[in-house]
Amino acid sequence: MCSNFRTGKSSSLVGYTPPTLHKGVRWFVDFTAWDPAINAMRRKRYYVSGSLTISQKKARANEIMQVLTRQLSQGWNPWVNNDDTRGHVIFENCLQRYEDYVDRMDRKKTRQSYHSRVNILREFIASLASPIKFAYQFDQSFCNDFIDWIYLDRESSPRTRNNYRGWLFGLAEFMMARKYISSNPVERIKVMPEHEKFRKDLTPEMLKCMQTYLEENDKPFLLACMMQYYTLIRPGELSNLKIGDISLKNQTVFVSKKFSKNHRDAEVGLNKSIIKLMLDLGIFKWPDTHYLFGTGFLPNREKMGSDQFNKRWKKMRATLRWSDCYQFYSLKDTGIRDLANAAGVVVARDQARHSDITTTNKYIQKHGVQEVTLGFEGNLSYGDNEKDE
């Protein structure tokens, strides 16, 4: 809907008025928008919770006005799109309401499973550079990113990925029934075949091709790819690494339990090629508090979302004309394969921080991972082609 309308009379009317904050016994934000049903401007209010402090009320009111201004400027009309009138409910409130609903389910196992998945969803939201706040942001793009995070970042099987898709579909139905959203954003997300492994390892020739391309066009992203290949650190963990987590003296990178998948602190060995590339990129000129991969994959005080690795990878993959089965996470699969071939399965297991069924909940004896991985050459390198001075 355009921002200007023409009535049956010859005068033109503005389609809406800017949102305005009103303070009093009850704080509220209001605006007027053209209602075609009555052929006149009509007032709409959004109340601010009275239980908040003054500063919290101001912050909440500013959020509401920013969202409304953007929505109205893009053509949204509350009187035409009535299904969206509850889209500005805080998303966390929707989840809490859903958990109240889950608590009334009969089977204890189902209740525990659904609560666990809600917490996993919260973990994903917290990992985003710009976490969603409102119900209307629960859209297909968000749901797709969550499902990819489950499958790629958490190393889940296709069956687990599909189970989360099914649960997310149910959550969307719950939200639709309560008018938080107008359609189910999960409907168009396809079920993945469970008998096939879609993601494939990269060949040595493909690794060399990628290295050549990135050395010429995008060295910062080359560092991200080498970190994935050599350190086997997951994308969600890479996005949380800071300069201070890297030790040149010990030639290791520290992965905090605060954001690691197994919730354990760990030190992972750094390959000499990674260290050389870091030095050439001037990584250690930045403050220790900066994230290693910020905007443009360079150090920055602002955190970058883990989805940026896949987005940048897809652009490179299109340029190199690779199949979709070769994904950013393929670098980790390939790194485990190459490290196991070069130094043994035990070393690869420790570098990847994996354990099999027989060793679950048992102490895993380390086998000199840092010393071995420092000299592991693999099929990626940096600086080998430089002439000796």
Side-chain angles (χ1 to χ4, degrees), residues 89-106:
V89 172
I90 298 294
F91 184 64
E92 174 59 27
N93 292 347
C94 298
L95 291 181
Q96 291 176 3
R97 189 67 173 169
Y98 174 74
E99 288 184 306
D100 291 339
Y101 176 79
V102 168
D103 286 335
R104 302 297 299 273
M105 293 180 175
D106 293 334

Side-chain angles (χ1 to χ4, degrees), residues 4-112:
N4 292 303
F5 302 90
R6 189 171 294 277
T7 66
K9 303 175 183 179
S10 59
S11 62
S12 64
L13 295 174
V14 177
Y16 64 90
T17 59
T20 305
L21 172 62
H22 299 269
K23 302 176 183 179
V25 178
R26 294 191 67 185
W27 287 33
F28 64 91
V29 172
D30 75 345
F31 65 95
T32 58
W34 184 260
D35 187 348
I38 62 175
N39 198 32
M41 299 291 281
R42 185 176 168 192
R43 188 183 188 190
K44 180 71 176 177
R45 294 183 181 181
Y46 288 90
Y47 286 96
V48 179
S49 174
S51 62
L52 302 176
T53 65
I54 296 296
S55 60
Q56 289 174 335
K57 286 182 179 179
K58 290 180 180 178
R60 177 73 175 113
N62 284 333
E63 288 180 349
I64 294 174
M65 289 191 290
Q66 288 177 10
V67 171
L68 290 175
T69 299
R70 182 173 66 252
Q71 294 271 87
L72 289 166
S73 68
Q74 294 174 350
W76 173 72
N77 186 310
W79 315 123
V80 175
N81 303 315
N82 287 323
D83 286 341
D84 294 334
T85 54
R86 301 189 71 188
H88 294 89
V89 172
I90 298 294
F91 184 64
E92 174 59 27
N93 292 347
C94 298
L95 291 181
Q96 291 176 3
R97 189 67 173 169
Y98 174 74
E99 288 184 306
D100 291 339
Y101 176 79
V102 168
D103 286 335
R104 302 297 299 273
M105 293 180 175
D106 293 334
R107 297 185 62 198
K108 180 179 179 181
K109 186 176 181 179
T110 300
R111 295 196 303 269
Q112 292 175 335

Side-chain angles (χ1 to χ4, degrees), residues 49-304:
S49 174
S51 62
L52 302 176
T53 65
I54 296 296
S55 60
Q56 289 174 335
K57 286 182 179 179
K58 290 180 180 178
R60 177 73 175 113
N62 284 333
E63 288 180 349
I64 294 174
M65 289 191 290
Q66 288 177 10
V67 171
L68 290 175
T69 299
R70 182 173 66 252
Q71 294 271 87
L72 289 166
S73 68
Q74 294 174 350
W76 173 72
N77 186 310
W79 315 123
V80 175
N81 303 315
N82 287 323
D83 286 341
D84 294 334
T85 54
R86 301 189 71 188
H88 294 89
V89 172
I90 298 294
F91 184 64
E92 174 59 27
N93 292 347
C94 298
L95 291 181
Q96 291 176 3
R97 189 67 173 169
Y98 174 74
E99 288 184 306
D100 291 339
Y101 176 79
V102 168
D103 286 335
R104 302 297 299 273
M105 293 180 175
D106 293 334
R107 297 185 62 198
K108 180 179 179 181
K109 186 176 181 179
T110 300
R111 295 196 303 269
Q112 292 175 335
S113 175
Y114 285 9
H115 277 300
S116 174
R117 291 179 181 182
V118 170
N119 288 332
I120 294 296
L121 179 59
R122 288 191 176 110
E123 182 181 335
F124 167 70
I125 293 173
S127 73
L128 299 175
S130 298
I132 66 170
K133 294 182 180 179
F134 303 104
Y136 80 88
Q137 294 175 295
F138 183 80
D139 56 15
Q140 185 176 349
S141 177
F142 170 82
C143 292
N144 250 322
D145 288 344
F146 174 63
I147 295 299
D148 285 346
W149 182 77
I150 289 294
Y151 180 59
L152 299 175
D153 289 20
R154 292 181 61 85
E155 301 181 74
S156 299
S157 66
R159 175 174 295 182
T160 298
R161 180 261 187 204
N162 291 339
N163 287 341
Y164 268 91
R165 180 205 171 275
W167 169 78
L168 201 64
F169 184 95
L171 174 61
E173 291 290 304
F174 173 88
M175 294 180 65
M176 282 179 60
R178 287 147 187 84
K179 300 297 183 182
Y180 296 132
I181 54 177
S182 59
S183 61
N184 193 322
V186 187
E187 283 183 333
R188 295 185 179 182
I189 301 178
K190 296 181 180 180
V191 174
M192 177 179 290
E194 298 181 6
H195 61 281
E196 299 178 2
K197 181 183 178 183
F198 177 71
R199 189 174 71 243
K200 292 184 178 180
D201 297 356
L202 300 166
T203 65
E205 292 74 21
M206 294 175 73
L207 289 172
K208 292 297 182 184
C209 177
M210 179 194 73
Q211 176 189 336
T212 300
Y213 171 78
L214 292 179
E215 281 188 356
E216 295 176 356
N217 298 279
D218 195 350
K219 281 189 177 181
F221 187 62
L222 174 60
L223 176 60
C225 292
M226 293 183 71
M227 288 286 289
Q228 180 76 167
Y229 175 77
Y230 282 113
T231 70
L232 312 179
I233 297 176
R234 303 171 182 90
E237 297 167 340
L238 285 177
S239 66
N240 282 282
L241 291 181
K242 294 185 177 181
I243 307 290
D245 294 324
I246 301 168
S247 171
L248 283 178
K249 178 181 178 181
N250 298 324
Q251 297 172 327
T252 59
V253 57
F254 175 72
V255 182
S256 172
K257 62 183 179 183
K258 294 180 180 179
F259 51 80
S260 67
K261 181 184 176 183
N262 61 9
H263 303 292
R264 296 178 182 176
D265 290 337
E267 281 193 331
V268 178
L270 278 180
N271 180 276
K272 60 183 179 182
S273 291
I274 293 181
I275 295 175
K276 179 171 178 55
L277 179 54
M278 285 181 170
L279 292 172
D280 283 359
L281 289 172
I283 296 297
F284 302 104
K285 295 179 181 179
W286 298 87
D288 285 351
T289 55
H290 275 42
Y291 288 96
L292 177 60
F293 296 111
T295 304
F297 296 94
L298 290 172
N300 197 294
R301 65 168 59 89
E302 299 295 332
K303 178 184 173 183
M304 184 181 70

